[in-house]
Amino acid sequence: MAVSRRALLSSAALVPAAVALGEAAAAASPPRDVVGKVSVGYQGWFACPGDGAPIGGWWHWSRDRFQPPSPSNTTIVSWPDVRDYARTYPTAYPNLGSGQPATLFSSYDQQTVDVHFDWMRTYGVDTAALQRFNPFGDEGPTRDAMAQKVRAAAERTGRKFYIMYDVSGWAGMQSQLKTDWTTKMAAHTASGAYARQNGKPVVCIWGFGFDDANHDFSPAACLDVITWFKAQGCYVIGGVPTYWREGKNDSRTGFLDVYHAFHMLSPWMVGRTGDLAGLDWFFTNVNTPDQADCTAHGIDYQPCVLPGDLSAGHRRHGDFYWRSVYNMVRLGAQGLYVSMFDEFNEGNQIAKTAETAASAPPGIRALDEDGTFCSADYYLRITTDAGKMLKGQIPLTSVRPTPPTVGNPDLARDRSTSASGFTQVYGPGNAVDGNPGSYWESVNNAFPQWIQVDLGATVTVGRLVLKLPPSWGARTQTLAVSGSANGSTFTTLSAAAGRTFDPASGNTVTVSFPAAATRYLRVTATANTGWPAGQLSTLEAYAS
C-alpha cells in the first residue's frame, strides 16, 4: 500500500497478542546525542502574513496560503495553546469557545522558536530533528532561515539539533541533497548544539524505500546518497517504512541493502494504529524482530513513539502515548523519536495544545475530548517521564506516572461563559481568560446581575476564587454562588454575602462551600460599594 508522510493510512489488521518481555537489546553505539536520548521531529513550517517569512502567506496553516485559515481553508486538525507566544496572528476562524479571537503563531518568529526550545529544555527533550524538504523551490529561503533560528534557540537552551531531510516528491534528490549539504547545511555542524553521535555530525534522510509515487527512487540512487554522506563523516539515520525489514505493505522490495547501510533506523509509525491493542501487536510482530535485525547488523534502532491523533480520538488522555513509550523502552530501543513536536496538521503534536472547547474554534477537538481535562502541557510532561524511563532514572512501568493535571486545576479556565449582560467590551469571557487586567462588568444600575461559566461536564466543585484587577481600589460586592447540572435549575452553593475586595490582599476573595457536583456555576451580584455593577476580573473554580 502506498504511503505519504503527510497522510495517515489505515493500519494493517490488528490482533491482540500476549507479549513476552525478552532480554534488552545491546546498543551498537554508546549514548550521545541520539542514542539513549529523546528526539522530536520539529517541522517549524508555519508562517503568517506580516512575520517577514520569504515564502509569504499562511504557510502550512491554509490550503490556499494567500487566504487566512478558516474551517473551509485549513490544513490543521488540532489547535495550539497560544498563551506563551508574544505575538500571534488573527485568522478567519470563528472565535474560540471562550469568545476570544482565534489566533495562530508563526514559526518564523524567533520568539516562537525560543518558546518551543524553552519547552524542550523544561520537559527534558534532548534533540530536535529539524525537517528539511526540497529547498530548491520557493520554500528554500524560509527553510534556510528556520535552520538559523533553530540553531540559535538550541545554542541558547543547551538542546541539540540535526538536519532531517524529507525526500518526499524531490525529483532531483540524488544530486541536490549533496549540494544543499555542502553549500548550506554542513556549516551548522560547527555549532556546539549540532547533534553528534560516535563523534560524527548526525543527518537523517526520511523517505527511502516507501512504496508510493512520491518516493520512486532506485535502490542504487539511495545507496549512493547514504554512501556519500558517510564519506562526509556523517552518522546517517534512515527514516524508513514500517515494514522495511519484510519489504511489504508500505515498503518496496529490494531495499534491504539500502536499509542496512544506515547507522540508525527509525521506522515510521504515524497512522498505523489507533489503540493499545494495536501498539502491542506491533511490539510483538514488528518492533521486536526489527530490534533483533538491527542488533545483528550493528545498527542503532530509534523507533517512533506516538502521542496519537487527537482529531481521531486516539489519545485516551495519555494512555496511548505512554503505552507507545513503554513498549519501546522495554524492548531496549537505542533511542526514541517522538512523532511529532509541532505537527498540528496531523494532530499528533506534543506541543502545548488547546485544553477545552473554550480554547479552540468550533469543530476542533481539544485535549479533553474524551471527558478528561488535560493541561495544555500534558504531552510534554509525559515526554519528561519518557526520557527518565529511557535513561533508567525511573523504573520501567506500564502505568503512566504523570496525571493529566498538575495539582488542583482551575476548572473554569477558558471555559464557555455567559452573563445577564455586560457593558461595552467587558464581556464574561474576560473573567476566565487568565488575564488579571481584563474583567467582566455587568450592565450598570440594574442589579441583580450574574455571570455564569459552563465547566463542560458535571464535576465536583468546593471553592471559588474571585478577583478584581490588582490596581483597583477596595470595594465590597454582595455576591451569591449557585450551581446547576442542566443550566436551568440552580441550587444555592453559597448564600449572598458581602465579599470585600482589598488591594492589600490582591483584590482576591475565596468562597468555600460543601463540595457539590455541578456543571454550571453562577455568581450573582446584588450590590457593589465601588461601582453600580457586578465586576470580576477572575472567576476560578476548584474541586476543594
Side-chain angles (χ1 to χ4, degrees):
M1 181 179 290
V3 60
S4 169
R5 188 173 183 185
R6 302 188 189 186
L8 303 184
L9 304 182
S10 299
S11 64
L14 304 178
V15 294
V19 180
L21 179 59
E23 293 184 4
S29 301
R32 183 65 194 272
D33 293 341
V34 289
V35 171
K37 297 298 193 295
V38 173
S39 300
V40 296
Y42 188 70
Q43 300 284 23
W45 64 7
F46 296 106
C48 304
D51 62 4
I55 196 166
W58 293 93
W59 191 40
H60 283 279
W61 290 124
S62 296
R63 294 187 184 279
D64 176 356
R65 76 170 190 257
F66 299 109
Q67 298 298 322
S70 68
S72 62
N73 181 39
T74 188
T75 64
I76 61 171
V77 296
S78 285
W79 196 262
D81 181 288
V82 299
R83 288 175 292 187
D84 287 356
Y85 304 116
R87 181 163 67 145
T88 58
Y89 300 80
T91 71
Y93 271 95
N95 285 349
L96 310 182
S98 64
Q100 299 298 309
T103 65
L104 293 167
F105 67 81
S106 166
S107 302
Y108 200 78
D109 287 342
Q110 182 69 55
Q111 190 266 344
T112 296
V113 183
D114 287 342
V115 164
H116 290 167
F117 275 75
D118 284 339
W119 292 347
M120 293 182 202
R121 175 173 56 187
T122 298
Y123 298 100
V125 172
D126 301 296
T127 305
L130 175 61
Q131 315 295 290
R132 188 167 175 83
F133 292 79
N134 180 358
F136 287 82
D138 66 343
E139 67 181 58
T142 303
R143 292 278 181 194
D144 295 346
M146 286 307 304
Q148 294 286 354
K149 294 172 189 291
V150 164
R151 174 176 176 172
E155 290 172 346
R156 183 182 60 81
T157 57
R159 302 302 90 191
K160 301 294 184 178
F161 78 101
Y162 61 88
I163 299 301
M164 185 172 184
Y165 285 107
D166 188 320
V167 299
S168 301
W170 190 345
M173 173 275 302
Q174 187 174 358
S175 62
Q176 290 177 341
L177 266 182
K178 302 170 187 177
T179 300
D180 186 69
W181 180 256
T182 54
T183 60
K184 293 182 178 179
M185 293 299 102
H188 292 297
T189 66
S191 170
Y194 197 88
R196 290 181 173 270
Q197 185 62 51
N198 303 346
K200 304 173 185 288
V202 176
V203 174
C204 181
I205 304 170
W206 194 97
F208 286 172
F210 281 86
D211 190 15
D212 71 275
N214 276 331
H215 305 90
D216 57 348
F217 313 110
S218 70
C222 296
L223 272 173
D224 171 68
V225 170
I226 298 168
T227 301
W228 184 86
F229 271 102
K230 284 183 170 181
Q232 308 307 301
C234 296
Y235 175 94
V236 190
I237 303 174
V240 297
T242 308
Y243 294 95
W244 64 273
R245 180 176 38 80
E246 300 174 272
K248 67 179 186 179
N249 295 344
D250 62 346
S251 175
R252 298 180 186 272
T253 59
F255 270 75
L256 195 57
D257 287 344
V258 173
Y259 303 141
H260 283 157
F262 286 109
H263 292 112
M264 171 179 268
L265 288 178
S266 187
W268 192 237
M269 270 293 293
V270 171
R272 299 304 184 263
T273 184
D275 57 34
L276 306 187
L279 291 173
D280 289 345
W281 187 91
F282 275 97
F283 172 81
T284 302
N285 297 288
V286 176
N287 303 122
T288 297
D290 275 3
Q291 178 67 84
D293 186 285
C294 286
T295 300
H297 289 86
I299 297 170
D300 298 317
Y301 188 51
Q302 185 201 50
C304 289
V305 291
L306 316 169
D309 179 359
L310 179 61
S311 68
H314 293 169
R315 296 204 173 193
R316 293 166 177 79
H317 50 274
D319 285 346
F320 186 87
Y321 190 19
W322 190 253
R323 180 68 65 86
S324 181
V325 168
Y326 167 70
N327 281 350
M328 296 306 99
V329 174
R330 68 176 171 138
L331 176 67
Q334 281 72 72
L336 301 178
Y337 180 81
V338 179
S339 307
M340 308 277 284
F341 185 86
D342 55 342
E343 179 58 280
F344 290 93
N345 308 88
E346 293 181 348
N348 59 341
Q349 72 288 341
I350 63 169
K352 292 187 182 183
T353 299
E355 296 171 334
T356 70
S359 49
I364 294 185
R365 289 186 188 229
L367 291 180
D368 69 343
E369 51 87 22
D370 67 352
T372 301
F373 179 85
C374 301
S375 63
D377 69 344
Y378 182 43
Y379 289 85
L380 292 166
R381 291 190 289 117
I382 294 178
T383 305
T384 301
D385 289 334
K388 290 179 179 179
M389 192 165 71
L390 174 69
K391 298 165 188 174
Q393 297 168 358
I394 61 174
L396 181 71
T397 175
S398 61
V399 179
R400 52 183 168 82
T402 296
T405 55
V406 178
N408 191 9
D410 172 15
L411 302 172
R413 178 67 179 269
D414 289 327
R415 291 290 184 175
S416 178
T417 58
S418 57
S420 54
F422 61 92
T423 187
Q424 298 179 43
V425 297
Y426 307 114
N430 292 341
V432 296
D433 65 1
N435 180 356
S438 67
Y439 60 93
W440 164 72
E441 181 174 303
S442 75
V443 176
N444 289 193
N445 299 298
F447 287 120
Q449 293 285 317
W450 53 264
I451 179 173
Q452 182 173 303
V453 59
D454 178 359
L455 302 179
T458 299
V459 294
T460 300
V461 181
R463 176 168 58 95
L464 298 190
V465 175
L466 310 176
K467 301 179 183 179
L468 293 177
S471 62
W472 284 16
R475 67 202 63 200
T476 298
Q477 297 191 71
T478 302
L479 304 175
V481 178
S482 55
S484 171
N486 56 20
S488 58
T489 303
F490 283 81
T491 300
T492 298
L493 301 178
S494 181
R499 323 280 184 174
T500 300
F501 295 81
D502 188 338
S505 55
N507 270 337
T508 298
V509 168
T510 297
V511 181
S512 298
F513 43 84
T518 188
R519 173 170 176 171
Y520 300 90
L521 281 171
R522 179 177 290 185
V523 177
T524 301
T526 52
N528 184 344
T529 62
W531 196 258
Q535 296 172 311
L536 287 178
S537 67
T538 299
L539 193 168
E540 298 173 351
Y542 296 94
S544 62

